[in-house]
Amino acid sequence: LALPQELQTKMALIGVLALLVAGGVAWVGVRRLVRPLLSLTIAAERIASGDLDKSLVIKRRDELGALAFSFEAMRVKLRSSLEEIRRWNEELEKRVEGRTRELARRNQELTVINSLAETVNSSLDLEEVLSKALDQVLAITEAETASISLRDEHSGAISKRIIRPSDSSSLVKICQNLEECLCSKVAFTGEPL
């Protein structure tokens, strides 16, 4: 019975040794599988939180490698899509800002036109109406100098009626000969210059 007991002891030792080797191989295999899965999980959580800057690198040629490659491709596409949306938002903001400025300018113009209409309707004195109208035009255009010239319907001669500021010698120098200045060209053509 010594021989079977010795064989039984050797078999038990070989079984324990085989079990330890199999456990070690299984542990290494699980570690090779769990570590990339952990990296994928962390990357997925990072992507879900909005961090799309850090790339995912898992160099394997199995299903985990294919999954990591797909995650990386998704991250790159998502990042480019978000960047494109950001650019569109900036462009939209600029357009809205421009249109808002344009609306404010037009609103101001309409206010001045309305005010001009009230001025014209408020008095029958031509000098008073022209003076108030020029003041309002200066307010909207923020110009420093301006004048109103009138053309005589019968003779066609143009004469300066109102000048702002009233001591503006520079405006008089520019239009010394009213027949040749821009004012007369505007009056005769009816087109702005």
Side-chain angles (χ1 to χ4, degrees):
L1 289 174
L3 191 58
Q5 276 186 341
E6 186 179 318
L7 188 59
Q8 185 179 8
T9 305
K10 283 184 184 179
M11 289 299 273
L13 284 176
I14 291 174
V16 168
L17 187 60
L19 189 61
L20 286 175
V21 169
V25 169
W27 184 79
V28 169
V30 167
R31 293 287 291 167
R32 283 193 66 220
L33 184 65
V34 168
R35 191 171 281 164
L37 281 175
L38 183 61
S39 296
L40 281 174
T41 304
I42 291 170
E45 289 171 354
R46 204 175 54 240
I47 289 170
S49 70
D51 180 11
L52 301 173
D53 294 329
K54 191 173 179 184
S55 63
L56 175 66
V57 180
I58 295 179
K59 296 182 180 180
R60 291 177 63 132
R61 297 188 185 273
D62 58 0
E63 291 82 5
L64 282 175
L67 184 60
F69 179 78
S70 296
F71 260 119
E72 179 63 15
M74 179 185 69
R75 181 195 67 82
V76 169
K77 286 181 183 178
L78 190 59
R79 182 177 174 195
S80 67
S81 294
L82 288 175
E83 182 64 28
E84 188 175 0
I85 289 170
R86 185 191 60 77
R87 283 193 311 270
W88 287 348
N89 282 340
E90 287 175 359
E91 184 180 325
L92 184 61
E93 286 290 330
K94 287 178 184 176
R95 284 182 181 178
V96 166
E97 183 180 321
R99 292 218 173 121
T100 302
R101 277 195 311 269
E102 177 66 20
L103 283 173
R105 185 186 64 77
R106 286 183 185 224
N107 217 5
Q108 185 181 17
E109 287 175 359
L110 288 173
T111 302
V112 169
I113 289 171
N114 193 21
S115 180
L116 282 172
E118 287 177 13
T119 300
V120 169
N121 290 330
S122 69
S123 174
L124 293 177
D125 180 23
L126 181 61
E127 294 296 321
E128 182 183 343
V129 169
L130 292 177
S131 179
K132 287 180 179 178
L134 186 59
D135 290 339
Q136 290 173 349
V137 169
L138 280 172
I140 191 172
T141 60
E142 298 178 2
E144 293 178 13
T145 59
S147 71
I148 293 180
S149 300
L150 297 178
R151 183 175 77 172
D152 187 297
E153 290 182 24
H154 300 295
S155 67
I158 295 177
S159 62
K160 287 229 186 271
R161 295 298 289 262
I162 307 290
I163 298 175
R164 290 286 185 270
S166 55
D167 62 344
S168 180
S169 59
S170 63
L171 194 59
V172 175
K173 287 179 187 174
I174 292 172
C175 296
Q176 286 178 354
N177 184 357
L178 287 174
E179 300 298 326
E180 296 176 3
C181 75
L182 288 177
C183 304
S184 64
K185 289 180 184 177
V186 169
F188 288 117
T189 63
E191 295 292 323
L193 292 175

